[in-house]
Amino acid sequence: MRKAMIPGSFDPITKGHLDVIERCSQLFDEVIVVIMENAHKKALFDEHERKEMIEHDISHLSNVRVEIGSGLTIEMAKKLGVCAMIRGIRATSDYEYEVQIATANMMLEKKIETMFLLSKPEYSFVSSSTVKEIAMFHGELSHFVSDNVAAKLKEKY
Ligand code: PNS
């Protein structure tokens, strides 16, 4: 049985994340979306709010579940017994950062692969940060997030 995890901060989940999760669910028997802390970002939603939003958006995917992680992502991967960690890559600007993390993780545990899925063109410039900025100025969110996430963002701002 092939098990993969998708780590990220998901603050909040976007349609770009969801696309990667859906595609990943076709490639692996089981997929675990793991909410991790990004030390470089201050989160708008707490982990439980983020988990609820992801669970709502993935309710149609029977082989995907969500967990809240802690510590190093590679340690979570070992604990969960996954063979791969999947990250979405949008523009080339993501590449350098992703290679840095993937290489560090490879040095910490070479048996777990990091694999990249290329974002669909329509989502290549969608990020949680952009979405929060649009929400802050009450812009239209339907292209970027689900109706449920859009409602939660509106509550925050
Ligand atoms: O969605 P993001 O914010 O790009 O996700 C980044 C994340 C949370 C996956 C990354 O910051 C992370 O793995 N954090 C946990 C600590 C860790 O393992 N850092 C990488 C080792 S160099």
Side-chain angles (χ1 to χ4, degrees):
M1 169 142 138
R2 295 263 147 204
K3 199 169 18 163
M5 85 184 233
I6 308 182
S9 44
F10 304 103
D11 184 45
I13 182 170
T14 66
K15 286 190 176 177
H17 290 132
L18 188 57
D19 172 55
V20 167
I21 296 168
E22 282 169 346
R23 285 156 62 201
C24 199
S25 78
Q26 310 261 307
L27 298 171
F28 291 88
D29 300 307
E30 188 182 344
V31 175
I32 310 161
V33 177
V34 185
I35 300 165
M36 297 297 302
E37 187 186 334
N38 185 331
H40 306 284
K41 295 179 185 168
K42 193 183 171 327
L44 174 66
F45 294 97
D46 71 32
E47 305 94 314
H48 301 282
E49 291 173 310
R50 284 181 262 164
K51 185 170 187 269
E52 243 177 61
M53 285 186 279
I54 301 170
E55 278 172 345
H56 187 279
D57 281 8
I58 62 155
S59 59
H60 59 299
L61 302 170
S62 59
N63 63 338
V64 183
R65 65 185 167 90
V66 190
E67 286 216 8
I68 296 171
S70 59
L72 285 175
T73 296
I74 195 72
E75 292 301 325
M76 278 305 295
K78 282 199 254 178
K79 203 166 104 184
L80 294 167
V82 301
C83 61
M85 298 195 290
I86 314 298
R87 295 277 292 168
I89 291 238
R90 292 164 300 184
T92 48
S93 50
D94 280 343
Y95 181 77
E96 215 170 308
Y97 169 70
E98 293 298 336
V99 167
Q100 208 175 348
I101 297 187
T103 309
N105 286 335
M106 193 189 283
M107 289 171 80
L108 293 169
E109 175 55 71
K110 60 178 180 304
K111 285 196 216 113
I112 298 174
E113 298 288 353
T114 298
M115 297 169 73
F116 300 110
L117 285 188
L118 196 61
S119 286
K120 281 203 186 135
E122 60 264 44
Y123 301 129
S124 62
F125 290 95
V126 176
S127 71
S128 299
S129 312
T130 312
V131 161
K132 282 180 278 191
E133 202 166 321
I134 294 168
M136 194 185 293
F137 296 105
H138 312 293
E140 175 57 48
L141 291 164
S142 58
H143 179 70
F144 308 100
V145 294
S146 66
D147 291 347
N148 180 60
V149 172
K152 303 282 176 204
L153 279 162
K154 280 178 194 151
E155 278 171 26
K156 287 276 176 194
Y157 294 108

